Amino acid sequence: MENKRAAVLVAGSWGTALATVLADNGCDVAIWTRRAEQADEINRHHTNSKYLPDVRLHERIRAVTDMDEALNGAGIVVFAATSASIREVARKASGGIPRDAYVVHAVKGFERDSLKRISTVISEEIRRPEETIAVLSGPSHAEEVVRRCPTTVVAASQSKEAAEAVQDYFMNAHFRVYTNPDVIGVEVAGAIKNIIALGAGLSDGLGYGDNAKAALITRGLAEIGRLGQAMGAQLLTFAGLAGVGDLVVTCTSRHSRNWRAGSLLAKGMSLDEVLAAMNMAVEGIGTTRAAYELSRRYGVPMPITEQLHAVLFDGKPPKAAVEALMGRVRTHESEEVAKAWLEA
């Protein structure tokens, strides 16, 4: 790591947590926010109370509202916006990213209308080859990362140099980073696990217990793998940190917004009421719509996603959705094994 200046866009919980890791590693971090009052709080009090209450931030983290100021001289640029706003943020940043800066995103979702992966969106806006962009993903709640709890993630890029540079910038005694060339797999896993976490919260909210949640997680992983393979991912990726690791933590942790949103839906709240109560982005909601469309584009069966789509957007009662899943026509656990039997 030669250039120890970093830019993080934006100052939400995950962006702030990643800024903390970079600052711990000796970087001077400029974190960009649209809100002057948030920048003032971070700079004066070293806190970001809306997103990470009761946490004191590293003094190497400096908040700015001017995008060019945030990007000036940066050796690494980290996009940590929501999937709904990532194109706008990337467009705003496009003219100011230093030519030799590494670009990495930590966004878990798809663009809603185009159904594009986030690295594709960023590539289009900053006019850089997609293969040079890295993605950081894995089981990593911001609330634990910022408190320096042991965490392990994956830096994925088609460029070995970019993946290893991200590894160098972020890796330390409490934040371990592996590299992986399968960008598609890492992005698909990071997006779809939020849908399964909504389902886990819904199941828990209905009081269905651990048996049901274990089944949901396991069959959810099968859905992730089917869509990922259809989009060009490597199946082995889903057995790793970005796949099963992130899926398990998001479906079981008290920090999971998606789990909480599903739990609230199960208690009878409407989608609008849930979003108002959360007061923060719940990526799984938009991703459910996108994945539903992707499953049809690629001809991939995704029954959990289909039922959650019906709950979220068609008014289907949560209990009826679970009954529909349990009442599906009998099938084999492994589609690949079943295919081998039929061909034998």
Side-chain angles (χ1 to χ4, degrees):
M1 179 183 13
E2 296 179 2
N3 186 337
K4 291 195 171 185
R5 298 191 68 178
V8 176
L9 320 173
V10 298
S13 56
W14 191 215
T16 305
L18 292 176
T20 298
V21 177
L22 290 166
D24 283 346
N25 290 351
C27 289
D28 294 316
V29 185
I31 188 166
W32 178 78
T33 173
R34 295 179 180 87
R35 299 191 294 115
E37 62 273 20
Q38 185 184 28
D40 185 64
E41 179 192 350
I42 292 171
N43 293 333
R44 284 177 178 268
H45 305 291
H46 304 292
T47 60
N48 191 356
S49 56
K50 177 180 178 181
Y51 295 100
L52 293 167
D54 304 320
V55 172
R56 182 171 176 82
L57 303 180
H58 203 295
E59 294 190 1
R60 283 200 182 98
I61 298 173
R62 177 177 57 92
V64 298
T65 56
D66 182 275
M67 181 67 81
D68 289 338
E69 183 182 354
L71 296 169
N72 184 37
I76 186 169
V77 176
V78 183
F79 286 94
T82 63
S83 59
S85 64
I86 187 62
R87 186 176 290 277
E88 176 196 351
V89 174
R91 183 177 298 150
K92 190 174 182 66
S94 60
I97 298 175
R99 183 174 300 178
D100 58 351
Y102 294 102
V103 174
V104 57
H105 84 79
V107 185
K108 296 177 179 179
F110 300 102
E111 187 172 45
R112 178 173 170 176
D113 294 330
S114 72
L115 308 182
K116 291 176 179 177
R117 292 179 292 106
I118 301 303
S119 58
T120 304
V121 173
I122 293 172
S123 172
E124 290 175 352
E125 292 301 328
I126 69 173
R127 297 182 294 279
R128 287 196 182 192
E130 187 174 335
E131 57 265 24
T132 68
I133 296 169
V135 53
L136 194 68
S137 191
S140 48
H141 285 301
E143 294 85 352
E144 295 184 0
V145 171
V146 78
R147 289 182 168 87
R148 299 166 181 83
C149 298
T151 300
T152 308
V153 298
V154 172
S157 179
Q158 295 178 54
S159 163
K160 184 172 181 287
E161 177 191 352
E164 290 181 347
V166 172
Q167 186 180 47
D168 288 343
Y169 268 99
F170 281 97
M171 189 156 163
N172 60 33
H174 53 83
F175 197 82
R176 182 169 179 80
V177 184
Y178 289 89
T179 59
N180 187 327
D182 184 16
V183 175
I184 295 175
V186 169
E187 287 189 299
V188 170
I192 305 300
K193 59 93 183 182
N194 284 328
I195 301 174
I196 310 306
L198 278 170
L202 194 121
S203 178
D204 285 343
L206 290 170
Y208 285 156
D210 294 338
N211 294 347
K213 185 157 64 175
L216 187 75
I217 291 171
T218 307
R219 297 312 300 164
L221 184 61
E223 289 196 14
I224 293 170
R226 281 198 295 266
L227 180 61
Q229 276 194 299
M231 294 178 69
Q234 299 174 20
L235 192 60
L236 190 60
T237 296
F238 305 117
L241 289 163
V244 68
D246 206 4
L247 176 64
V248 168
V249 79
T250 312
C251 289
T252 61
S253 174
R254 67 186 186 279
H255 299 307
S256 172
R257 298 179 203 168
N258 293 282
W259 179 92
R260 183 182 168 208
S263 178
L264 293 174
L265 285 167
K267 290 175 168 53
M269 294 177 68
S270 69
L271 180 56
D272 287 342
E273 289 171 336
V274 168
L275 291 172
M278 299 291 292
N279 196 30
M280 283 193 283
V282 181
E283 287 284 10
I285 292 171
T287 302
T288 299
R289 193 188 294 275
Y292 180 81
E293 297 300 330
L294 284 168
S295 71
R296 277 147 179 74
R297 174 183 292 183
Y298 288 97
V300 173
M302 298 181 70
I304 297 172
T305 299
E306 183 177 334
Q307 291 301 321
L308 282 168
H309 186 277
V311 170
L312 291 170
F313 306 115
D314 299 331
K316 188 169 190 174
K319 189 174 181 180
V322 174
E323 289 172 351
L325 285 171
M326 294 299 291
R328 291 176 65 231
V329 64
R330 66 180 186 172
T331 186
H332 299 282
E333 180 182 31
S334 171
E335 290 79 0
E336 290 73 24
V337 171
K339 183 179 178 183
W341 282 353
L342 291 171
E343 292 176 351

